[in-house]
Amino acid sequence: MIHLSNGHSFDYMVASGALAFDGKGWPWEHPVRWLGLLRPELFTVVMKTVTREPRKGNLRWLKPWQSVSLLTGGGAVNKIGLTNPGVEWWCEKVGPRLDFERQPFVASIYGSVQELVEMTEMFNEFGVVAIEVNPSCPNTGTSVESAQAVIDGVQAVREVSKHPVLAKLSAAQDYLHIASELEGAAEALSINSVPWELIFPEARSPLHRLERRVGGGGGGVSGVPAQEHNWKMVEELAALDAAAVIGPSVMSFDDVEKVRERGAKAISFGAIHLRRPWAPTSIVIEDQRRRAAAAAAPAQP
């Protein structure tokens, strides 16, 4: 379990964007939620990343397959590019409607240092439990930010935020150096999708047409294909001990223990929602049941 400085603790997290901007999920997830098979209240929900100004990105709602593709073997690649209506839209249309007492939310932000500071000050007016700085999206059309840019952004957010700060890092970054420099500024570290080229250096991305049109690589890979890189990150970051690590790329119940064994203090569910949005709730309920049973079992002589 991760314990933040404001008293909020969590075992399970929904990764940024998996349950939209309000934690209720995307339209195709609503029936699953209405049936009680998807229970957001079991998780700390990271909202979809927002930027200072509206960002068109690459997602087109009438043709979502152009920027998201499922992969054989239990994963996905996306090149959405942080499509979002902007932080002011969220503050006006979404934030006032949320019940922050019932559902813990983490705000996720991307931008320049000045933009990060401005957005953080706006989120200070809301009851989120933390701010996640996301400087590691592989789909922004530019290279992943330099280590110093990441460090500067997170530290600037820490200076103005009344909430704990999380940093979202990537296997494509110098993440050990970044994490060591952020000790004391970031209370926990989450992990992003892996650039296509890092996992499949010789293969063409399913999103190659979009790649040719907008540049920026073949997309971010999540799920099973990303596990080798992301779980290596978990192990190395946990050994560094600069901040608590949130374990990503969980696609089954067995994966939960695998990331815990590598040092993760909490579990993040992301790509699994694309395939089986009911599965994270099922996994968490079973995990809680087994841990309770283990705790209640008599000690062995």
Side-chain angles (χ1 to χ4, degrees):
M1 181 173 286
I2 290 178
H3 304 279
L4 300 179
S5 59
N6 60 358
H8 179 68
S9 301
F10 63 97
D11 274 315
Y12 314 103
M13 172 177 278
V14 172
S16 172
L19 292 182
F21 296 98
D22 59 2
K24 296 180 180 179
W26 302 103
W28 57 87
E29 294 172 317
H30 290 178
V32 183
R33 179 171 57 83
W34 294 333
L35 290 171
L37 302 176
L38 171 58
R39 295 172 54 189
E41 68 274 11
L42 293 177
F43 307 85
T44 291
V45 175
V46 184
M47 299 174 287
K48 189 179 187 312
T49 302
V50 294
T51 50
R52 183 64 182 86
E53 303 297 333
R55 188 182 182 102
K56 186 176 182 180
N58 303 319
L59 178 62
R60 304 295 177 264
W61 291 109
L62 295 179
K63 298 179 180 180
W65 59 86
Q66 292 183 338
S67 59
V68 181
S69 178
L70 297 180
L71 301 174
T72 56
V77 57
N78 88 84
K79 195 171 171 60
I80 291 173
L82 295 180
T83 299
N84 76 98
V87 68
E88 290 186 2
W89 167 85
W90 188 93
C91 290
E92 293 175 4
K93 303 295 185 182
V94 180
R97 298 188 290 105
L98 299 183
D99 185 348
F100 295 100
E101 296 296 324
R102 179 176 180 272
Q103 174 68 62
F105 289 100
V106 174
S108 181
I109 55 178
Y110 171 89
S112 67
V113 171
Q114 182 58 39
E115 290 171 335
L116 291 173
V117 167
E118 291 176 5
M119 288 187 285
T120 299
E121 291 173 337
M122 296 169 77
F123 277 113
N124 280 344
E125 303 302 316
F126 295 91
V128 298
V129 297
I131 301 287
E132 177 190 79
V133 182
N134 175 14
S136 57
C137 175
N139 302 314
T140 58
T142 59
S143 60
V144 174
E145 279 78 353
S146 70
Q148 193 58 51
V150 175
I151 295 164
D152 291 345
V154 175
Q155 290 179 339
V157 168
R158 176 62 277 164
E159 289 179 3
V160 299
S161 178
K162 75 174 189 179
H163 307 296
V165 177
L166 316 182
K168 191 168 192 176
L169 306 182
S170 165
Q173 295 171 319
D174 187 359
Y175 52 82
L176 291 178
H177 170 64
I178 294 171
S180 65
E181 292 295 312
L182 291 180
E183 185 171 3
E187 298 189 22
L189 304 171
S190 56
I191 298 175
N192 218 327
S193 57
V194 182
W196 175 270
E197 294 74 21
L198 201 58
I199 298 179
F200 304 110
E202 304 298 328
R204 186 173 70 175
S205 169
L207 306 177
H208 61 92
R209 292 185 178 85
L210 179 59
E211 180 184 4
R212 284 202 306 268
R213 189 165 74 248
V214 304
V221 178
S222 51
V224 173
Q227 289 175 345
E228 179 181 355
H229 288 81
N230 280 347
W231 292 358
K232 176 176 178 285
M233 276 187 72
V234 169
E235 193 165 2
E236 292 178 345
L237 288 168
L240 183 65
D241 198 27
V245 182
I246 303 165
S249 307
V250 170
M251 299 295 285
S252 69
F253 181 81
D254 290 340
D255 290 343
V256 171
E257 194 57 36
K258 290 176 182 177
V259 294
R260 285 193 178 129
E261 289 173 352
R262 287 164 170 79
K265 298 299 184 183
I267 310 299
S268 176
F269 298 90
I272 190 172
H273 288 87
L274 289 172
R275 293 177 174 272
R276 297 173 292 141
W278 57 88
T281 293
S282 175
I283 290 172
V284 166
I285 291 174
E286 178 62 15
D287 186 50
Q288 290 177 331
R289 185 192 69 80
R290 294 193 187 189
R291 296 175 80 180
Q300 296 297 317

